[in-house]
Amino acid sequence: MTQAFSKVTAIRGMNDALPGASARWEQLEEIVRNWLQAYGYRNMRAPILEHTRLFTRGIGEVTDIVEKEMYTFTDSLNGESLTLRPEFTAGMVRAAIEHNLLYDRPQRVYALGPVFRHERPQRGRYRQFHQIDVEALGLAGPDIDAELIVMSARLWKRLGITDVELEINSLGQGDERAAHRAALITHLEQYKDILDEDGLRRLYTNPLRVLDTKNPALQAMADAAPKLFDFLGEASRTHFDAVCARLTDAGVSYRLNPRMVRGLDYYNLTVFEWVTHKLGAQATVCGGGRYDGLIELLGGKSAPAVGFAIGVERLLDLWSQYQPEILSPECDVYIVHQGDDAQRRAAVLAETMRDAGISVIVHAGAASFKSQFKRADASAAAIAVILAADELADGVASVKLLRVAQQTPDTAQLRIPLDDLVAFLKDKVK
Ligand code: ATP
Ligand code: MG
């Protein structure tokens, strides 16, 4: 008797990208790598798993991520607390410190990959999602803040995305935030009786985050709260103005959003987000800012830094609204064959085609011409090559142009001498 096993499915909020959808991912990744290279950013890869304390310290105890979104578990072998990275910055900075990356010069680096947050899954909000993370380590000036923002604008342009808006703010420096914090606590204390559980807990630990509320009942309280921007000293304002001036130079328009605090604790001075109305409730495609204190906080020699992260799933969703179709043929050439000799010859020929940079699928196994041609068509190959006893006897291959621009007028099959075949195909597929 055969036993039926229950199906094992993916974890909720963690998505598969099947070949069709994956083609869009790959195309995006290629565009993204070129775009990053254009600004001198280099790829860096850090582990997905880190010590939990890296994130509690680096992101901050009183943040959504650390309080409730991390996948944390105990390593059963040694009892250590480990966490799947919920973002890149802390790990990138850890690696930079550990390998003394900043000892002789600043570093422009990026990483691309999955991050994990235990959130309620919905459109644009997943438990495993992907980020493009860009960091400029060791650079202090407003020029670099602006360069990063202008750079992000270039990516939207490259992808043909128009409906995104830039919001920026300045979080100033520690002492300015302290003065604002005191004023804010005084303000918030008036609303103690209507604050929700999160709000009450954060009132004295992280009052700025109390304002980061989606609760409509708390909106009036948030609107009337003293604004950090009004507490900025001269240096912070000068930095902010310099960023804005450079954005204007580059023709990038922006909106000051004095309420934006960003979800993480470590930011100072410039913070920014790119938002869109085309993604439903999850409006933010990209967020970032300056975090001059983080490197020292994580045990490195004090150095400034600024960066941003793009949510890849949200970006893909948005991009697909501008470019609905991504062509992804399985190969350039699909070889159909009849008979054992022809099949073996096809395998050898395919290797010589691949030597020439042509991608090839040789029909696997034996089947009727009809069903092989069906497969060839489904593969979206540009060309079908046909090999059977008849062709082998004449030292030729039959060739059918399926999707080649400037098709030869008659759709009949061409007969190409085997010696000329690779050159012929190369000419057609390039
Ligand atoms: P949100 O306010 O939407 O929760 P966040 O402030 O937590 O965003 P960041 O930590 O700044 O987000 O992460 C950078 C980007 O990653 C976001 O702008 C967004 O595009 C994307 N992102 C964040 N959380 C998720 C998620 N759970 N699923 C998919 N993308 C996400
Ligand atoms: Mg979040």
Side-chain angles (χ1 to χ4, degrees), residues 106-126:
Q107 294 282 344
R108 289 174 166 85
V109 291
Y110 76 89
L112 212 155
V115 297
F116 303 84
R117 296 184 193 178
H118 199 278
E119 302 197 68
R120 196 168 65 77
Q122 54 196 291
R123 179 183 179 189
R125 194 170 289 289
Y126 309 105

Side-chain angles (χ1 to χ4, degrees), residues 42 44 56 73 92 156 207 301 330 392 424:
R42 295 191 303 160
M44 200 171 131
T56 47
F73 61 93
M92 301 279 272
W156 320 140
K301 186 162 159 271
E330 292 168 18
L392 291 187
F424 173 86

Side-chain angles (χ1 to χ4, degrees), residues 176-177 179-181 183-184 226-233 237:
E176 292 151 7
R177 279 204 299 281
H180 169 252
R181 183 190 152 104
L184 185 59
K227 294 191 175 30
L228 173 53
F229 202 81
D230 297 327
F231 286 74
L232 298 189
R237 275 178 189 269

Side-chain angles (χ1 to χ4, degrees), residues 407-414:
Q407 277 233 17
T408 7
D410 70 298
T411 52
Q413 293 177 7
L414 307 163

